Amino acid sequence: MKHKLIVISILMLAAIGLAACGTTAASNGGSEIRTVSVNGTGTIIVKPDMAIVNIGVITDGEDADKASSENAGKVEQIKAALLELGVAEKDIRTTNFSVYPMQQYDETGQVTSVQYRVDNSMEVKVRELDNLGMILDGAIGAGANSIYGVQFDLADRESANGQAIEAAMQNALVRAEVLASAAGAELGEIQSVSTYLYGGGVPMYAAGGMAEDAARADVPIAPGEMQIQVDVTVIYAID
């Protein structure tokens, strides 16, 4: 996986120079340590290598037990199809199972009938993106009528996060050196570091059923790119 490293500059602290310097009390012979605080940003652009999708079955019926049984049978068919298409069993996880009544009313507000809706959905991780379209088609063919929340992600997020952190720390160091030089001081040791991580999976569809659309060949499945950004606040001692 190729990563394009981009260090994005952000605005300097409003009071650049001496205003960015401060003092910190320390038990160093009763003296105080002068410090400088800087922000740094590191951003990497990566290509997703996996997808997470919710696949489910919604079944309506006048009898709750019968609807549940029919629903369970379709779910087993879908699981079998997914396994046959190469999805690992560990990558299939039930996320929702619910049964609830849907009452029908007449013009006077009286209940005329009751149907039961059974909703059973699974979170499926697809680790081979080239197979995503085939897997969605296979799930639909096996009885899935609810597919939503397709999201592209990275299997190894920690490695990408680490690269963004390294870039952010390097960005902070450059800024700290410039500020210390402008203040006529030399940069010392790091006193503290705070980090803030941004960026998540890339959604293909934020929400809503898409089983019928996914079955059409003209629906594009393109993972695109992900942006992971880390902001750091670093306090250095200055001499």
Side-chain angles (χ1 to χ4, degrees):
M1 178 172 56
K2 296 182 179 180
H3 293 169
K4 297 183 289 182
L5 186 61
I6 301 177
V7 177
I8 300 179
S9 296
I10 60 176
L11 292 175
M12 285 289 206
L13 296 176
I16 187 171
L18 290 176
C21 302
T23 58
T24 302
S27 56
N28 184 15
S31 62
E32 294 183 331
I33 298 175
R34 292 198 304 161
T35 61
V36 60
S37 177
V38 293
N39 291 342
T41 297
T43 301
I44 63 169
I45 305 298
V46 295
K47 185 176 181 179
D49 58 11
M50 67 176 291
I52 301 173
V53 57
N54 288 283
I55 299 175
V57 178
I58 297 175
T59 305
D60 295 336
E62 295 181 357
D63 182 272
D65 290 338
K66 185 177 179 180
S68 296
S69 178
E70 180 183 343
N71 185 282
K74 289 183 178 179
V75 168
E76 289 305 314
Q77 291 176 6
I78 294 168
K79 286 183 178 179
L82 293 174
L83 293 173
E84 188 175 344
L85 289 169
V87 177
E89 188 168 357
K90 67 177 182 178
D91 290 333
I92 303 174
R93 180 174 68 92
T94 298
T95 55
N96 175 65
F97 177 78
S98 60
V99 181
Y100 53 92
M102 299 185 299
Q103 296 178 330
Q104 304 296 320
Y105 300 89
D106 62 18
E107 63 276 3
T108 66
Q110 298 298 313
V111 176
T112 58
S113 63
V114 177
Q115 280 202 330
Y116 295 89
R117 170 160 292 183
V118 182
D119 189 347
N120 194 338
S121 59
M122 303 169 286
E123 180 184 88
V124 179
K125 292 182 179 179
V126 180
R127 299 183 184 274
E128 296 291 337
L129 287 182
D130 290 342
N131 296 335
L132 179 57
M134 177 180 63
I135 288 171
L136 293 179
D137 184 65
I140 294 167
N145 58 11
S146 174
I147 297 179
Y148 61 95
V150 179
Q151 181 169 306
F152 297 104
D153 209 334
L154 290 172
D156 186 5
R157 288 295 298 270
E158 288 304 314
S159 176
N161 291 345
Q163 293 184 53
I165 290 172
E166 290 178 2
M169 289 298 292
Q170 181 62 33
N171 186 224
L173 175 60
V174 171
R175 291 176 176 219
E177 289 175 339
V178 171
L179 287 173
S181 177
E186 293 185 1
L187 201 62
E189 296 182 350
I190 292 176
Q191 303 298 300
S192 69
V193 179
S194 299
T195 61
Y196 311 90
L197 176 64
Y198 306 93
V202 180
M204 176 178 167
Y205 295 92
M210 50 167 279
E212 293 183 1
D213 287 340
R216 299 202 311 264
D218 59 347
V219 175
I221 299 177
E225 294 181 330
M226 290 174 57
Q227 175 176 296
I228 298 176
Q229 176 179 314
V230 173
D231 290 343
V232 296
T233 300
V234 187
I235 298 178
Y236 291 89
I238 54 174
D239 301 322

